[in-house]
Amino acid sequence: MATGTLLDVARDEASLRHLLLGLPPVDPVGLEARAASLATRSIKKQSKLAAIDLAISMVDLTTLEGADTPGKVSNLCRKALRPDPGVPDTPRPAAVCVYPDMAATAVEALAGSEVLVASVATAFPAGRSSLEVKLADTRLAVESGADEVDMVIDRGAFLSGRWGVVLEQIQQVKQACGEARLKVILETGELATYDNIRRASWLALVAGGDFIKTSTGKVSPAATLPVLHVMLQAVKDFRDLTGEQRGVKPAGGIRTTKDAIRHLVAVGEVAGTDWLDPHWFRFGASSVLNDLIMQRRTQTEGGYWGPDHVTVD
């Protein structure tokens, strides 16, 4: 299917349904077996250090709480700029992710650095609001200086088969983003089946999402390796058909260096090494950063480095 054909699909509800219903079904047994097999891969010490550095550079350092304050956001930005104050060559994370009303604070704190500002929007995390409110939320984030916007899809519309509604909302949010990149959160824990996750992934890609993202981190289960495999296969197949590369962001439940490395192995094996770059793959998992820093110290200095040796978010 050529890019032009996919654009036609995005304009026509019947064509969209034909595309999504025509996707090959996911084999759950085979999918889960492959994900489990790749998760057992081990890597050598030197490769492990490189993997840790890459994983750190892919983290979206995040605070999305009702109690967020400008001071808390500024402190998180300072951590992004100096993840391990005792080791200046520690890579910086890719971005700091906050609510729209905190985006300007993050932009000011990160000014002059390469660390991006991401902002959730569209009535995150439930997405239960009008399109007008969702677009206003997006515009607030962008006007405050956000480089990236993480939107949530209307899961109720998706699950009731109103796929055209979901597609139109993504398209309008994408337009409201202007130059900012758009991450489309599927909330895979609410989609129930791998086939739904595959269809939602393709819908988001056809609508123009720059990234597809597993979860808000507010619903369980969040990111799982089998789900990641489905989404990685979707972006790979999408590029094979259109020549356009899109990113993937697992979020929620990724807490250890071992978890992060398992995800990187999956990226390389399922999508390909072109995706092993912060421009195309992110971790929505702030808690993993501390463990990555501890493991980096262990690799470079020997001995065990515990949580007392890193800053706490």
Side-chain angles (χ1 to χ4, degrees), residues 248-271:
V248 178
K249 178 180 174 180
I254 305 164
R255 297 183 176 88
T256 68
T257 298
K258 184 177 290 186
D259 289 337
I261 290 175
R262 285 171 175 165
H263 281 70
L264 294 181
V265 169
V267 173
E269 292 291 329
V270 179

Side-chain angles (χ1 to χ4, degrees), residues 39-269:
T40 65
R41 292 273 183 90
S42 60
I43 59 177
K44 296 179 180 178
K45 180 176 180 179
Q46 197 56 40
S47 297
K48 184 174 183 179
L49 181 57
I52 289 171
D53 280 358
L54 180 59
I56 292 172
S57 74
M58 293 173 163
V59 170
D60 280 0
L61 200 55
T62 303
T63 182
L64 297 170
E65 302 297 335
D68 285 344
T69 64
K72 182 178 179 182
V73 170
S74 295
N75 284 337
L76 195 67
C77 291
R78 281 191 282 273
K79 180 165 183 174
L81 295 174
R82 298 186 67 190
D84 186 351
V87 184
D89 69 347
T90 303
R92 290 173 173 174
V96 169
C97 185
V98 295
Y99 276 112
D101 63 323
M102 290 290 159
T105 298
V107 168
E108 181 179 1
L110 295 170
S113 77
E114 74 280 12
V115 180
L116 303 174
V117 173
S119 174
V120 297
T122 64
F124 178 97
R128 302 251 53 92
S129 193
S130 67
L131 178 58
E132 289 74 19
V133 168
K134 293 178 181 182
L135 293 176
D137 209 22
T138 302
R139 286 192 286 267
L140 173 60
V142 173
E143 290 168 3
S144 297
D147 303 291
E148 301 173 347
V149 171
D150 291 31
M151 73 166 287
V152 288
I153 67 166
D154 184 334
R155 282 87 75 191
F158 179 87
L159 291 169
S160 60
R162 293 178 290 137
W163 296 337
V165 170
V166 180
L167 180 133
E168 181 182 2
Q169 290 195 1
I170 297 171
Q171 289 175 321
Q172 291 205 35
V173 171
K174 172 65 176 174
Q175 185 174 7
C177 283
E179 296 300 316
R181 296 177 84 199
L182 175 63
K183 306 191 194 88
V184 181
I185 306 172
L186 309 181
E187 199 65 289
T188 53
E190 294 184 342
L191 298 186
T193 70
Y194 294 129
D195 286 331
N196 276 344
I197 293 166
R198 173 173 280 177
R199 290 179 187 128
S201 296
W202 272 89
L203 192 160
L205 295 170
V206 168
D210 298 295
F211 269 77
I212 49 176
K213 177 178 171 182
T214 60
S215 326
T216 61
K218 307 295 186 182
V219 170
S220 182
T224 68
L225 284 171
V227 163
L228 178 64
H229 278 235
V230 173
M231 295 171 67
L232 289 169
Q233 191 66 54
V235 294
K236 180 180 185 300
D237 291 343
F238 186 84
R239 191 180 74 169
D240 288 345
L241 283 171
T242 67
E244 298 178 8
Q245 188 161 333
R246 307 288 175 83
V248 178
K249 178 180 174 180
I254 305 164
R255 297 183 176 88
T256 68
T257 298
K258 184 177 290 186
D259 289 337
I261 290 175
R262 285 171 175 165
H263 281 70
L264 294 181
V265 169
V267 173
E269 292 291 329

Side-chain angles (χ1 to χ4, degrees), residues 279-298:
H279 193 71
W280 302 115
F281 189 78
R282 299 284 180 80
F283 291 107
S286 289
S287 60
V288 77
L289 181 59
N290 283 348
D291 194 67
L292 286 165
I293 291 170
M294 287 188 291
Q295 293 298 326
R296 189 179 195 270
R297 287 266 194 147
T298 298

